[in-house]
Amino acid sequence: MSIKKNIFAIILASASAATLSAQQTTVLDITTETPSASLILPESFETDTKAMLEDWYLSKYAVIDEQADSRPDAEVSDELLIERLSKLPTEIEMPLNSVVRNSIMFYANRRKQLVENMLGLGLYYMPIFETALDRYNMPRELRYLPIIESALEPSAVSRAGAVGLWQIMAPTAGGLGLEMTSLVDARRDPYASTDAAVRYLKQLYDTYKDWSLAIAAYNCGPGNVNKALRRVGDGKHDFWDIYPFLPAETRGYFPAFIAANYIMAYHKEHNIAPAVARRPVVTDTVHVTRRVHFKQISDVMEIPLTEIRALNPQYRCDLIPGDI
C-alpha cells in the first residue's frame, strides 16, 4: 500500500465441452450441448461448509441452518430460469445455457449449506464490495465475484497461490500497490483488496469494452483472453464467442458468476433459508503509527483476540507494524 499508516478494525458496538468449433459456437449452441464434464468448477465450489461454520462472524453474528443440505430440491424449468435471469437488475448480460444451468443447479441442489453460509457472510462483506463498486461507477453485480473466487473467505489460498476474498496473485497485487511483507498481506484485507480488485476490473473493462471478457480475463489473465480472441478472428466478440479457446476453468468461471448472481437473488425459491443476523456488527478503523501486538489491544479494549484477528486478516503474526 502507498499509505504508510497501518489500520486495524475493531467492533465499536453491537445492536440490532466439450470443445466446440469457433465457427459454430453461440450461446444457444451451448444450450444444446453438455460440456460440463470437460469443465473445471471454481475451487470455491469445494469449500468445506463445516469449517466455515467455525468462522467468527458466522458463529457469533449469523443464524445458520446446519441442515440446509437436507432440504428437498426445487424443480425449475429452463423457461423459469430464463425469466428469473431476465428480471435481475444487472448491466451485465446473463443468458441461460447448459453450462450456466449446471452451475445454478450445483449451488441450488448440491451446495445449499454453502449458499446459506455465504448469505450470512454477505451481511458483513457485501456493503464493503458495494461501496467500492459505487466509488468507481461499476456494476453492482460484480459484488458476487468473491463468491466464486473465495466463498467469501478472506484468508482463502488457491492451489495456484491466489489469496484473499478476490483471489489476487502476488504479481498482480504488486502492480496494484497492495502491501505484501512478512507481517502484512493486504490481499487478505477486505477493504484494500476490494479496492484493488475493483480497480483491476475497471482496467480490464477499459481494455475489452465487454464485461464478460473482463471477467474472463480476471480469472485467466489478459494473455489467455487475447490468445482466444486472436483464434476467433476479427470483429467484436464476447465470452461465448471465445468459449472453446479458453482454459477449462475459465469456461466455467463466467457461468459460475451468472449462477452466483442467480442463487443470491432466488435462494428462497430453492428451499435455501435466508441467513439472518443475530445482531449487526458495527466497525470502525483506528490509525496506528507504532508497532503494537493484538494482545495489547485485546487487553486494553477487552476485545477477544479471535475478534481482532477476524476483523484484521491482513496481519500475519498478530502484530501491526505501525509506521515503518
Side-chain angles (χ1 to χ4, degrees), residues 42 45 85 88 90-94 99-100 103-104 107 133 139-149 166 201 211-212 215-216 250-264:
F45 279 59
L85 284 169
L88 291 176
T90 62
E91 175 182 338
I92 301 170
E93 186 178 359
M94 298 192 181
V99 189
V100 174
S103 296
I104 290 173
Y107 276 134
L133 290 167
R140 276 201 167 196
E141 52 266 35
L142 292 169
R143 68 189 182 275
Y144 294 130
L145 268 183
I147 283 178
I148 55 174
E149 285 289 348
W166 295 86
L201 282 163
W211 279 115
S212 67
I215 291 169
T250 306
R251 291 203 300 271
Y253 186 80
F254 185 62
F257 169 70
I258 296 174
N261 272 269
Y262 172 90
I263 203 66
M264 290 294 113

Side-chain angles (χ1 to χ4, degrees), residues 193-210:
S193 67
T194 296
D195 185 85
V198 170
R199 284 189 284 112
Y200 184 46
L201 282 163
K202 183 173 175 56
Q203 291 173 15
L204 293 171
Y205 179 75
D206 289 344
T207 297
Y208 296 107
K209 307 301 181 185
D210 181 280

